[in-house]
Amino acid sequence: MTNPLHVLVTGATGRTGSIVVQKLRQRPEQFVAKGFARSEAKTKELFGSTEGFYLGDISDPGRLNAALEGGDALVILTSAVPQMKAPPEPGQRPEFFYPEGGTPEQVDYQGQINQIEAARAAGVKHIVLVGSMGGTNEQHPLNRMANGNILIWKRKAEAYLIDSGLDYTIIRAGGLQDQPGGQRELLVGKDDQLLANPPNGIPTSIPRADVAKVVVQALLEPAARNKAFDVISKPEGTPGAVVTTDFQGLFEQTTPGL
Ligand code: NAP
């Protein structure tokens, strides 16, 4: 019996982060899971109480230091969240903005650097960072959303993590879906090649629950260490698809470096 891994999940009240916390808590022999979240009310709403949670903002290094003390691994699932301006007039496109303190530069870049540095100071050995596909294309429409350049800042933070010298696993998801996990074949790639040439033209998407499963497996499998990769799923029921259960095999297809 090895000791359970002490893992802190940030963005723990987010749509993927909350699933990661749930999945880690289902394996108490392998993990002691803590969450980091900025909203007490949302934490209580999702988890019933704030037990096992650190309340704070990732712009506050002091809170991060306290939360990471004694930790073995950090899962970064924070992300800037665009807000819609007033509902659009019929026929008009919605317009978005990032709230003050919540721009991609502040959250997806500086906020991630704060987390990486706090992890380093606490002696954390491994960081799993969930990012997004599309980052090789500076003209990607998501970068134009509220002029936030979100994918550009995410990619800069990924480069910072790789250069930090800490063990990393960078999981760049395709379009996220609120669908059940564990029912699809997962496909990994690099440099947005799956976006440019999806096999058989499949949608380049993946359920959040499957991303959460990849996170959990990345914490356990040595083959996920020091790797960065894109991940999508074959649609459920695709003829010939084999539901992914061999995560070591999946991670062995991935490579180090940005
Ligand atoms: P999400 O629900 O938007 O969660 C983001 C989390 O970050 C929220 O829990 C939010 O807190 C937290 N957060 C933001 N600013 C913070 C701050 N200053 N301090 C502390 N926490 C802060 O995320 P998701 O949709 O599951 O996405 C997970 C990741 O996948 C993100 O990096 C996203 O960009 C990426 N991704 C998304 C898509 C897509 O299709 N949407 C596709 C590929 C990749 P609150 O809960 O309090 O708001």
Side-chain angles (χ1 to χ4, degrees):
M1 272 285 284
T2 49
N3 290 332
L5 277 179
H6 287 247
V7 183
L8 182 75
V9 181
T10 65
T13 48
R15 288 163 289 181
T16 309
S18 56
I19 306 174
V20 173
V21 172
Q22 282 161 14
K23 285 190 183 295
L24 294 176
R25 285 181 168 180
Q26 284 162 4
R27 296 170 174 244
E29 68 293 348
Q30 288 170 308
F31 300 108
V32 176
K34 295 275 161 64
F36 189 91
R38 58 184 172 174
S39 163
E40 182 174 356
K42 198 169 172 187
T43 304
K44 283 183 175 160
E45 189 189 322
L46 283 170
F47 293 95
S49 84
T50 56
E51 203 186 322
F53 274 77
Y54 292 88
L55 296 174
D57 195 290
I58 55 165
S59 63
D60 179 354
R63 283 308 288 159
L64 288 168
N65 288 340
L68 282 159
E69 208 181 300
D72 299 307
L74 166 65
V75 175
I76 301 182
L77 259 154
T78 45
S79 179
V81 186
Q83 316 281 325
M84 196 163 59
K85 290 184 184 171
E89 298 293 324
Q92 299 292 306
R93 282 167 187 267
E95 283 189 62
F96 292 89
F97 70 101
Y98 290 102
E100 208 183 317
T103 65
E105 181 177 358
Q106 291 164 314
V107 177
D108 295 277
Y109 183 61
Q110 192 56 51
Q112 293 192 1
I113 290 177
N114 291 348
Q115 295 179 65
I116 294 162
E117 287 307 324
R120 192 211 299 275
V124 165
K125 300 279 185 298
H126 182 202
I127 298 182
V128 178
L129 168 61
V130 177
S132 178
M133 280 168 64
T136 60
N137 174 14
E138 293 200 356
Q139 306 307 319
H140 195 286
L142 281 178
N143 287 325
R144 288 202 290 277
M145 183 180 269
N147 288 325
N149 285 328
I150 189 163
L151 297 181
I152 293 175
W153 290 114
K154 279 183 189 288
R155 198 146 172 109
K156 281 186 202 248
E158 291 169 13
Y160 189 97
L161 173 57
I162 291 170
D163 290 344
S164 74
L166 297 173
D167 277 3
Y168 63 86
T169 306
I170 297 170
I171 300 165
R172 298 188 193 103
L176 296 179
Q177 302 169 304
D178 292 320
Q179 300 285 330
Q183 298 182 12
R184 301 174 182 224
E185 181 173 341
L186 306 183
L187 303 175
V188 289
K190 192 106 175 182
D191 292 331
D192 293 328
Q193 283 155 9
L194 287 167
L195 272 183
N197 288 306
N200 298 318
I202 60 169
T204 52
S205 53
I206 179 168
R208 285 183 166 89
D210 278 327
V211 174
K213 185 151 196 180
V214 175
V215 168
V216 173
Q217 292 296 325
L219 290 164
L220 296 170
E221 282 292 344
R225 294 282 175 127
N226 300 317
K227 303 286 187 65
F229 54 90
D230 304 337
V231 63
I232 63 170
S233 63
K234 289 188 180 173
E236 214 179 311
T238 301
V242 180
V243 173
T244 297
T245 53
D246 173 10
F247 284 86
Q248 180 185 344
L250 188 78
F251 295 136
E252 281 172 352
Q253 298 168 46
T254 65
T255 55
L258 199 59

